[in-house]
Amino acid sequence: MIVKGWCPGAWRPMMAEDGLILRIRPPEGRLSAMQAQGLAALARKEGQARISLTSRANLQMRGVKPERHEPLLRGLAELGLLDDDEATETARNIIVTPFWQADDGTLKLAHALAEALPEFPALPGKFGFAIDCGARPVLGDVSADIRLERNAAGRLLVRADGSETGDEVTETTAIPRMKALAEWFLAQGGRRMRQLFPDAHKQPGFAPAPGPCEAGILVGFTFGEIPLETLARLGEMRLTPWRMVLLPGVETLPEMPGTILNQNDPMLRVFACTGAPNCAQGFAPVRDLAAGLAAHLPAEASLHVSGCGKGCAHQTPANFTLVAGTEGFTLNGTRAGLDPAWLLSHPGEVFGTE
Ligand code: SF4
């Protein structure tokens, strides 16, 4: 079934100007080398399909012709990247820390949660879970309603998003406790867990840097998009919510199109949606403008260029924003009517550096 909506899945894609948009939720947030190659091959068959990383550590494929949806679903199923049905896909809203280790129980718990979800009550569409029980929590500021973490003593903890404290659990009691918390949430009648905690506790964010790390190499991507030739070559990977993938155990990576390995690369701090013409709501193309301004972006500042006021590409405020409208771009909500050629030739004025 094809619908217009805000949370597309693989079973339930969303229609855009350039074709269908599908979200793919790889089990446990990882792709084997074979799955990555297979996915790249499937996307290539679609002619103009593109694959990007989402802020919930999933993959998005866009540019799929409606008549190709069924064969694509079959291909995803063959790769082990498709849930049995739409209800299972929608409920399996789980983000897993990419930094899990083979012996820390994370994968086992993520798998157990996915298996148990059909027994959970029906939850709102965006309701999600974070399995964040690696050596240190890294998903604290990533959208999730029920979190499985570790306390300072290393013991497992189930915590409602927004709550400062959680309940200590064991590997055996963790999933039943998460289910009980989901039932409690439903009884309160909320839409997201955080709304139930008026003094919501804000977890510190995690600022990953691309390049070598203890677990392997973190690879960033321009605008979060993974070129298909690169996807086919990266090997086994774990998805992250930071427009990066982790290549576990890898020490060096040859140059590949679209990758960012330098933590000082300004493109890491530049966000731009699809914009016009691929998005019907877009008033202007945005990515060339964003890329053209990147080199002039002051150190540590962020830039968000958006095709309309919806701001899909970046949910938190950026230091500089350019939003397209009927009369050109508006800079930082104040200076309106700016055209891309002027913006590109006056970066000093855009960023207040001259
Ligand atoms: S911000 Fe607007 S133009 Fe950009 S993708 Fe979202 S809806 Fe489309």
Side-chain angles (χ1 to χ4, degrees), residues 273-275 279 281-282 306-308 310-312:
C273 65
T274 302
C279 174
Q281 280 85 49
S306 190
C308 79
K310 204 164 170 183
C312 296

Side-chain angles (χ1 to χ4, degrees), residues 1 30 53 65 86 109 123 139 141 161 166 202 205 223 243 252 254-255 257 267-268 277-278 340 344-345 353:
M1 183 180 50
R30 57 180 177 155
L53 293 158
K65 293 190 186 77
E86 185 187 326
L109 286 159
L123 293 157
L139 302 176
D141 61 348
D161 187 45
K202 190 126 178 80
F223 299 127
R243 300 198 301 178
T252 56
E255 250 184 53
M267 285 308 287
L268 285 170
N278 291 335
L344 285 168
S345 55
T353 48

Side-chain angles (χ1 to χ4, degrees), residues 19 40 77 112 191 211 336:
R191 283 180 52 236

Side-chain angles (χ1 to χ4, degrees), residues 1 6 29 52 68 84 109 121 137 162 173 175 180-181 187 205 207 221 236 239 282 297 304 307 313 329 331 350 354:
M1 183 180 50
W6 180 234
S52 53
R68 296 284 309 155
D84 290 344
L109 286 159
T173 60
I175 309 302
L181 190 51
F221 298 93
E236 178 194 348
L239 309 181
L297 189 60
H304 182 182
F329 282 86
L331 173 62
V350 173
E354 69 181 31

Side-chain angles (χ1 to χ4, degrees), residues 309-330:
K310 204 164 170 183
C312 296
H314 195 50
Q315 304 306 321
T316 49
N319 299 98
F320 299 96
T321 55
L322 281 165
V323 181
T326 47
E327 308 283 322
F329 282 86
T330 299

